[in-house]
Amino acid sequence: MPAMREFLGRRGKFRPQPPADSREAPHIPDDLWTKCPSCGDLIYTKELDRTNRVCPKCHHHFRLRARQRIESLTDPDSFVEWDVDVRPQDPLDFVDGSGGYADKLAQTAKRTGENESLVTGEALIEGRPVALAVADFDFLGASMGSVFGEKLVRAIERAAERRIPVLTVSASGGARMHEGLLSLMQMAKTVAALNRLGHAGVPHIALLTDPCYGGVTASYATVADIIIAEPKALIGFAGPRVIEQITKQKLPEGFQTAEFLLDHGMIDAIVPRDVLRETLGRLFVLYSKAVPRSGART
Amino acid sequence: MTDAPLAAWDRVKLARHPDRPHVLDYIRDLTRDFVELHGDRTFGDDRALIGGIATFNGRTVIVLGHQKGSDTKENIARNFGMARPEGYRKAERLMRHAEKFGFPVLSFIDTPGAEPGIGSEERGQATAIAESLLTMAGLAVPTIALVIGEGGSGGALAIGVADRILMLENSIYAVASPEACAAILWKDASKAAEAAQTMRITANELQAFGLVDEVIPEPAPAHESPRGTIKAAGEVIARHLNDLLAQYPPGDPAAADRLIASRYERFRNIGAWTAV
Ligand SMILES: [Zn+2]
């Protein structure tokens, strides 16, 4: 289950790794206008920021960076970040065709302004406290390595202790290959933490956003109590190009979209971004009445 | 900790050797009274991931394992050991079954990975793996996983969240296949041997990283000495199982809680990071 960002380009149109926004929507010179990759319309960029980066004409949901997502979901000034000091290492002395992992981490940090691919913390959503874990796809395809796993588990443990719900927002190419089996084991580690959270009767809501694949989809993100996806997000286990290459079959229309997953019974709901915060707020109120089973294992 | 150059790729070839013993060979040599239990009770039976109940070392156990074929025909029937969602749902069902009756779980890992396919996606491959991880993490009975060949990614881990993780000397365990890693990070699948080296996928390296409890030596590669390898594996499994049963006696709820807590700590502590 590699970091499959290479495989994620629809119909094979993958290009290596400029920031999500420029990849999706080449900015017109002065950034005043942004072209919608779905309907082709030119959108006044300030208007796009006002709509949380949803195209006003066709409702295409642009990808959000982690900080943009947090700002769009949480009550103003309520976010307090956790574990910023937890930083990645290069335990394998991993070197690939383009150089060493340690260098790649340093360059990525410089380019993205993030130290890792997961931002965690606590915030209020519609006045309710929540533990947040938000993936940043611009950081090595939000691949899950040791830091991702460690920060997520710490967030889950704090949430269990304080009995506040966990909201994970995922977009990922999968497990991070540069940390080898340590990355794979983060799947077990995060799921084990959620097992405890579940026994404590504290809910986990997962928001799956475009694109979400591999080790993330096959671990913490799909054992949530409620699974919500954004419209048209691509979500799956194996990347579409891998499946096409291996099976030599044409993929069905809409394969691995949020709508496809909903039809196949894999997610609870598709929620458009403009009503997401309000929907989450309503769920948090409902689950605040949860009564933990007596004698439940913790 | 680092094997000699290209040793990793030699191990990959050995781990994938078609004559290497498969889980049914281990079951035949190491257990009695085996009854295979089929089906996920939802959609189908996956012949790439088998399960059943048997006597091992005088005790009833649930056995799970990926089953590859020894020839093309069997490999097609077994889907080359690549399980579909039904396989993981069957495994998950049998784990709950084991817990219900207080039987330990022995799982034998040997897969290139979970099947990438249209049907597997439609039927929730990712969810099936995730739910198997969740059940295994919280299982109230002792669990032992042994990598006998290829430990390929999430499809391997799905039956590997165990109290003891063992590997045969010539088995491998990896986050992705070396070919996939090379294709993605080198843009060249022919660099698989280099990828295998830097990914640290051999049993000895993974033991040095603290991810594996014991490596079972293969004085001769398993395909040359199948009976001897299986016998040695059986002795190591029996020792670990006795140890777990002594520490966590079946039928004692407090022991079950301690067992789950100890398994939690094991996986909780995996990772390499710094706090600056
Ligand atoms: Zn549009």
Side-chain angles (χ1 to χ4, degrees):
Chain A
M1 199 165 324
M4 285 185 186
R5 64 172 195 277
E6 256 77 346
F7 298 134
L8 299 179
R10 289 178 210 225
R11 314 287 164 261
K13 280 190 292 185
F14 171 78
R15 291 193 184 42
Q17 201 55 355
D21 280 349
S22 65
R23 176 169 60 239
E24 280 208 324
H27 285 206
I28 310 303
D30 56 12
D31 280 6
L32 256 182
W33 300 87
T34 302
K35 189 175 181 181
C36 173
S38 177
C39 69
D41 246 35
L42 285 179
I43 312 159
Y44 190 44
T45 302
K46 277 190 181 152
E47 165 77 357
L48 198 55
D49 290 337
R50 210 179 46 75
T51 61
N52 282 320
R53 306 193 68 75
V54 175
C55 172
K57 189 180 167 202
C58 75
H59 302 291
H60 169 76
H61 285 51
F62 287 74
R63 289 177 186 170
L64 293 182
R65 297 285 311 267
R67 309 272 167 190
Q68 290 175 312
R69 173 71 65 180
I70 291 165
E71 200 190 318
S72 79
L73 279 181
T74 59
D75 298 355
D77 301 320
S78 70
F79 179 68
V80 177
E81 189 167 358
W82 288 337
D83 299 313
V84 273
D85 61 327
V86 180
R87 305 279 170 87
Q89 282 185 318
D90 178 15
L92 274 51
D93 297 320
F94 192 95
V95 179
D96 65 31
S98 62
Y101 175 47
D103 292 340
K104 183 169 277 185
L105 284 170
Q107 289 158 14
T108 307
K110 202 171 161 202
R111 183 172 57 73
T112 60
E114 299 291 348
N115 296 313
E116 250 296 348
S117 57
L118 190 76
V119 179
T120 59
E122 59 179 307
L124 299 175
I125 293 181
E126 304 272 306
R128 298 261 159 190
V130 53
L132 263 178
V134 183
D136 194 27
F137 194 75
D138 275 15
F139 195 102
L140 298 180
S143 50
M144 179 161 65
S146 298
V147 171
F148 191 121
E150 178 67 20
K151 286 173 80 170
L152 179 53
V153 165
R154 288 187 186 193
I156 295 167
E157 287 177 340
R158 282 183 197 127
E161 204 171 294
R162 294 171 43 188
R163 308 196 58 78
I164 58 173
V166 174
L167 174 65
T168 58
V169 182
S170 301
S172 179
R176 186 171 299 166
M177 284 182 290
H178 312 76
E179 293 179 28
L181 205 67
L182 294 169
S183 296
L184 189 75
M185 293 295 164
Q186 303 308 311
M187 295 170 66
K189 172 169 165 170
T190 55
V191 167
L194 288 171
N195 182 51
R196 285 198 164 184
L197 186 80
H199 283 295
V202 176
H204 165 213
I205 298 178
L207 174 66
L208 309 184
T209 72
D210 185 68
C212 202
Y213 280 87
V216 161
T217 322
S219 69
Y220 73 87
T222 52
V223 293
D225 297 296
I226 296 192
I227 307 174
I228 294 170
E230 286 204 315
K232 300 206 171 72
L234 286 179
I235 302 156
F237 176 67
R241 261 174 54 183
V242 170
I243 296 174
E244 229 165 19
Q245 279 165 11
I246 288 179
T247 64
K248 305 194 167 46
Q249 280 179 286
K250 195 172 150 33
L251 303 178
E253 185 66 27
F255 185 61
Q256 294 185 327
T257 57
E259 292 73 13
F260 175 94
L261 268 81
L262 188 72
D263 279 350
H264 286 87
M266 296 303 154
I267 57 176
D268 290 287
I270 296 172
V271 179
R273 207 172 281 166
D274 61 350
V275 292
L276 183 57
R277 182 167 163 165
E278 156 196 342
T279 306
L280 291 170
R282 196 185 318 155
L283 288 169
F284 293 141
V285 171
L286 290 165
Y287 284 92
S288 68
K289 311 287 197 302
V291 183
R293 247 182 334 156
S294 64
R297 207 187 283 133
T298 52
Chain B
M1 191 155 120
T2 306
D3 289 5
L6 289 187
W9 188 246
D10 295 335
R11 304 271 192 205
V12 172
K13 288 190 281 192
L14 287 171
R16 292 173 177 170
H17 197 288
D19 296 333
R20 207 171 162 81
H22 299 131
V23 60
L24 284 169
D25 302 310
Y26 285 81
I27 291 170
R28 183 198 60 217
D29 280 16
L30 296 179
T31 73
R32 287 183 293 108
D33 319 319
F34 177 64
V35 179
E36 185 171 352
L37 302 172
H38 293 275
D40 69 346
R41 302 290 191 269
T42 301
F43 183 82
D45 183 44
D46 189 344
R47 302 190 63 204
L49 206 174
I50 62 136
I53 187 163
T55 303
F56 171 75
N57 212 23
R59 177 176 294 277
T60 303
V61 297
I62 292 293
V63 185
L64 302 170
H66 308 96
Q67 175 69 26
K68 290 182 178 178
S70 302
D71 54 37
T72 307
K73 191 169 163 240
E74 199 197 348
N75 254 322
I76 288 167
R78 299 290 183 185
N79 201 29
F80 299 86
M82 296 186 294
R84 301 182 170 107
E86 296 69 48
Y88 298 112
R89 293 197 169 110
K90 171 168 66 181
E92 196 266 348
R93 173 175 83 82
L94 293 177
M95 289 174 201
R96 283 188 284 108
H97 184 98
E99 182 174 62
K100 176 174 175 179
F101 296 104
F103 300 147
V105 175
L106 307 183
S107 75
F108 294 83
I109 292 172
D110 191 14
T111 179
E115 186 204 60
I118 294 171
S120 285
E121 296 289 327
E122 287 173 333
R123 301 193 302 280
Q125 183 72 292
T127 308
I129 292 171
E131 285 177 350
S132 188
L133 296 173
L134 182 69
T135 295
M136 205 169 185
L139 214 60
V141 292
T143 51
I144 295 176
L146 168 63
V147 187
I148 56 175
E150 260 185 296
S153 195
L157 182 66
I159 58 167
V161 190
D163 300 307
R164 294 284 191 277
I165 301 173
L166 315 173
M167 287 182 76
L168 289 184
E169 187 183 350
N170 292 317
S171 68
I172 57 166
Y173 200 175
V175 64
S177 76
E179 289 88 346
C181 181
I184 292 169
L185 296 181
W186 277 258
K187 325 282 177 211
D188 180 358
S190 73
K191 301 281 193 237
E194 272 176 65
Q197 193 69 30
T198 198
M199 289 170 82
R200 319 287 179 206
I201 61 177
T202 66
N204 288 328
E205 287 171 303
L206 294 171
Q207 187 181 33
F209 278 108
L211 296 170
V212 171
D213 297 294
E214 186 166 346
V215 176
I216 300 165
E218 294 180 44
H223 67 275
E224 287 170 15
S225 174
R227 285 279 155 93
T229 305
I230 293 172
K231 186 164 174 286
E235 284 162 10
V236 174
I237 295 169
R239 172 159 44 79
H240 283 283
L241 185 58
N242 287 339
D243 180 40
L244 285 168
L245 292 168
Q247 278 190 68
Y248 309 103
D252 173 357
D257 287 349
R258 280 192 292 112
L259 176 67
I260 293 164
S262 131
R263 191 183 303 131
Y264 183 75
E265 287 309 313
R266 179 202 183 109
F267 287 93
R268 173 72 185 82
N269 291 326
I270 297 178
W273 44 269
T274 50
V276 291

